Amino acid sequence: MARTALPGRLTWRAATVAEARWETPSARTLVLDVPQWPGHLPGQHVDVRLTAPDGYSAQRSYSIASAWRDGAKVELTVQRVEDGEVSSYLTDVLEPGQQLELRGPVGGWFVWRAAPPPVLLVAGGSGLVPLMAMIRARGDLRGRQPFRLVHSVRTPQDALYGAELARRVRDDPGLDVHHVYTRKTPDGWPDPPARLGVATLNTHGWPPDFAPDVFVCGPTAFVEASADILVALGHDPKKIRTERFGGTP
Ligand SMILES: Cc1cc2nc3c(=O)[nH]c(=O)nc-3n(C[C@H](O)[C@H](O)[C@H](O)COP(=O)(O)OP(=O)(O)OC[C@H]3O[C@@H](n4cnc5c(N)ncnc54)[C@H](O)[C@@H]3O)c2cc1C
């Protein structure tokens, strides 16, 4: 039987890097021109495929950092993983004007659909990327749902989108951001470095009675530990959506 082309989001598209910017010393945002991009929901991801001249190819998933706006470019933020095959190419080699293949958007569960409940976002490292798309989408929509973000990072240097988040918090009383530092804290920080724990999620999350929509994203072990804490605090497991990036915490 003849093979037919797969339509829409399952089609591989050639995307051109329009711009690349460093978010931290090891994380870079790629701004991509994607012809006939169908649009996406905040929280969705794409599959990226790289193919070498000898035909060897590697494929990985990357969350979409940008909120959807008609005609806008698609932004991905890639954290370099030590010895990582694809991430180190995307952070250190790929330059504006060059192309990669992309397929998507993918995913219909880990998405924020501008529903009324308050939102709790819990991010480990680059797990902030799809949650940032939700924060940006809420900003674009002038959403009134209060958002709280708890972001766990190793050091202050590793915090993605620091200036933008600070600006959004300053301008928007409905957005609250709290950082947890696991290895090194900023000067004058009141707490020693520590992993995300019950006390932090209890203080900086929403009470379970508020029935928030909860999105947790990051390395697999981080996501599992955070979800366990949220359930222990009384959050309804059905309201907790998780996305695992793989790797170690
Ligand atoms: C749905 C989804 C969305 C994702 N979105 C993003 C995103 O927005 N930004 C982003 O930077 N990454 C994201 N990832 C992770 C990404 O797909 C790759 O796994 C990551 O870039 C590592 O690929 P690599 O080829 O560089 O490493 P590999 O060559 O595959 O692995 C090298 C080593 O690193 C370890 N490793 C693999 N992945 C990780 C990880 N995430 N953290 C720590 N160690 C790891 C491996 O176990 C291995 O030991 C996402 C993953 C999924 C499933």
Side-chain angles (χ1 to χ4, degrees):
M1 195 168 69
R3 291 177 113 196
T4 51
L6 290 167
R9 64 195 179 84
L10 296 180
T11 309
W12 287 103
R13 301 162 200 267
T16 306
V17 181
E19 189 191 326
R21 59 173 182 268
W22 290 99
E23 301 287 355
T24 71
S26 58
R28 197 182 188 212
T29 291
L30 301 172
V31 182
L32 302 172
D33 256 327
V34 191
Q36 291 159 5
W37 181 245
H40 60 268
L41 295 168
Q44 288 188 301
H45 65 273
V46 293
D47 296 328
V48 167
R49 183 167 70 181
L50 303 175
T51 306
D54 66 2
Y56 171 77
S57 83
Q59 189 179 314
R60 299 286 185 276
S61 300
Y62 290 96
S63 300
I64 303 168
S66 42
W68 166 244
R69 254 174 269 118
D70 211 13
K73 297 177 171 43
V74 173
E75 297 192 13
L76 310 179
T77 302
V78 181
Q79 173 68 49
R80 185 196 304 119
V81 169
E82 220 49 58
D83 300 324
E85 187 182 20
V86 172
S87 63
S88 57
Y89 179 85
L90 296 176
T91 52
D92 300 342
V93 180
L94 197 68
E95 290 299 338
Q98 295 183 317
Q99 290 193 320
L100 49 73
E101 283 182 293
L102 176 152
R103 183 172 70 178
V106 182
W109 168 246
F110 193 81
V111 294
W112 180 64
R113 296 176 189 271
V119 172
L120 172 60
L121 307 171
V122 182
S126 56
L128 178 58
V129 177
L131 310 185
M132 194 64 189
M134 298 177 192
I135 290 171
R136 287 169 169 163
R138 173 183 174 279
D140 284 357
L141 294 168
R142 302 191 186 283
R144 292 181 178 273
Q145 307 85 340
F147 268 39
R148 287 186 175 174
L149 165 67
V150 178
H151 186 201
S152 171
V153 287
R154 288 179 177 170
T155 74
Q157 260 203 330
D158 298 313
L160 292 172
Y161 317 123
E164 179 181 341
L165 280 173
R167 176 179 55 75
R168 287 183 181 275
V169 167
R170 188 196 61 210
D171 297 344
D172 181 353
L175 174 66
D176 184 73
V177 175
H178 179 74
H179 282 102
V180 173
Y181 301 96
T182 60
R183 296 203 183 163
K184 182 178 180 293
T185 61
D187 291 341
W189 192 253
D191 308 311
R195 290 196 170 186
L196 182 62
V198 176
T200 302
L201 282 178
N202 196 27
T203 307
H204 296 281
W206 295 107
D209 293 354
F210 286 28
D213 287 330
V214 185
F215 296 88
V216 186
C217 185
T220 301
F222 171 88
V223 169
E224 286 170 4
S226 303
D228 285 349
I229 293 172
L230 290 162
V231 172
L233 284 172
H235 288 272
D236 179 354
K238 290 197 287 296
K239 300 272 286 179
I240 304 173
R241 293 164 204 232
T242 57
E243 183 100 288
R244 293 163 174 77
F245 276 10
T248 49

